[in-house]
Amino acid sequence: MKDKKNNKALARRIGDFLAGKGFYVVLVICTAVIGISAWVLLSAGNPLELGDQTVSNPTNTPVIATPSGADASAEPTAATPSVEPTPSVKPSPSPSAAPSTEPSTAPNNNASSGEDGGSEQVMSDKLLFVWPLMGSIETMYAVDELVYNETMGDWRTHDGIDIAGKLGTRVMAAADGVVADVYADDFLGTTVVIDHGAGLMSVYANLESVPVVEQGDQVAMGAVIGEIGETAIGEASLPAHLHFAMIKDEHPVDPANYLPQK
């Protein structure tokens, strides 16, 4: 009798527990059981149906679908995207200008006319030259090297030749021409310049103070233009002489290229 009362009391307590907090405890236990069962099924490789799809690869390895009718044992091949070739557009040639039959530049009619003086040999062929006086050469022409100047005591270039002669010896024009200038040079003294045309000039220095020609006079080859003096203070240490030079296109040239051989 006493046991029945105890059982009823226990049953009443269980019912009160389930009606209270016991309901949630049972719910948690059931959820755990369901989760454990699902994990066991997945570990055993059993398929778990999810909607219309079947998951049978719990290792998360990517699955490559095999087309129906194909050999399932064949290794899957990565699909290569097809690229359609782009048709190349062939450019249409643009019409070119018609070739010209005329020369691009006009011919140079003065190329061989010799109007600008030509070479030194050509000039010597056109003009006859004579020595302005007969005498030995004391100082040679030298513009590419230095020569010692005894008067100035230094080394310098020499743009002509020094022809020895006595004071008062007459000096002649080396070729036909026009007296272009008569002046007193600070270094070479009294100087006469004769223009022979085509940029060629002859220079006569260390003359007497007053030459016998003036600027503008036309002289012939061999005509007397003055006398040897001693007006060239820059060459005073040398014996009496004529400083003779020639200029072509404003540049000194060697007089030996024009004078005849003695």
Side-chain angles (χ1 to χ4, degrees):
M1 189 67 132
K2 187 177 180 180
D3 292 334
K4 289 181 180 181
K5 289 181 179 180
N6 290 335
N7 291 334
K8 289 181 180 180
L10 179 61
R12 187 181 300 114
R13 289 177 182 176
I14 293 173
D16 293 339
F17 176 78
L18 293 175
K21 297 179 179 179
F23 174 76
Y24 295 101
V25 173
V26 173
L27 180 61
V28 171
I29 293 173
C30 292
T31 303
V33 172
I34 293 172
I36 293 172
S37 300
W39 181 81
V40 172
L41 291 174
L42 292 174
S43 300
N46 295 328
L48 178 63
E49 293 184 359
L50 297 176
D52 294 335
Q53 298 179 355
T54 301
V55 178
S56 60
N57 190 12
T59 59
N60 296 328
T61 304
V63 178
I64 301 176
T66 303
S68 60
D71 187 2
S73 63
E75 295 183 358
T77 305
T80 302
S82 61
V83 180
E84 295 182 359
T86 304
S88 59
V89 180
K90 185 176 182 181
S92 58
S94 59
S96 58
S100 174
T101 58
E102 297 181 358
S104 57
T105 57
N108 185 2
N109 295 329
N110 295 328
S112 60
S113 62
E115 294 179 358
D116 55 353
S119 64
E120 294 177 0
Q121 184 62 40
V122 172
M123 287 304 305
S124 63
D125 291 341
K126 291 182 179 180
L127 289 173
L128 295 178
F129 286 81
V130 296
W131 285 80
L133 77 157
M134 299 305 295
S136 62
I137 298 178
E138 299 295 330
T139 308
M140 300 295 295
Y141 171 84
V143 295
D144 295 330
E145 60 183 7
L146 300 178
V147 295
Y148 185 71
N149 186 300
E150 294 181 0
T151 304
M152 306 303 296
D154 59 11
W155 294 82
R156 62 180 63 202
T157 59
H158 193 251
D159 64 353
I161 58 176
D162 293 335
I163 306 174
K166 295 181 179 181
L167 285 176
T169 301
R170 293 183 297 178
V171 176
M172 299 176 292
D176 297 345
V178 178
V179 177
D181 200 359
V182 177
Y183 62 94
D185 185 86
D186 294 338
F187 187 83
L188 294 175
T190 303
T191 304
V192 172
V193 180
I194 298 178
D195 186 356
H196 304 287
L200 182 64
M201 296 183 179
S202 56
V203 181
Y204 311 79
N206 196 31
L207 298 175
E208 287 285 355
S209 299
V210 181
V212 297
V213 293
E214 297 179 353
Q215 183 178 2
D217 290 349
Q218 187 162 356
V219 294
M221 177 189 64
V224 176
I225 61 172
E227 297 177 353
I228 292 179
E230 48 185 4
T231 57
I233 59 176
E235 297 179 345
S237 61
L238 295 177
H241 66 281
L242 169 71
H243 179 90
F244 178 68
M246 295 196 69
I247 299 174
K248 180 70 171 69
D249 297 330
E250 300 182 358
H251 295 285
V253 292
D254 191 351
N257 296 331
Y258 298 87
L259 297 177
Q261 294 184 355
K262 293 183 179 179

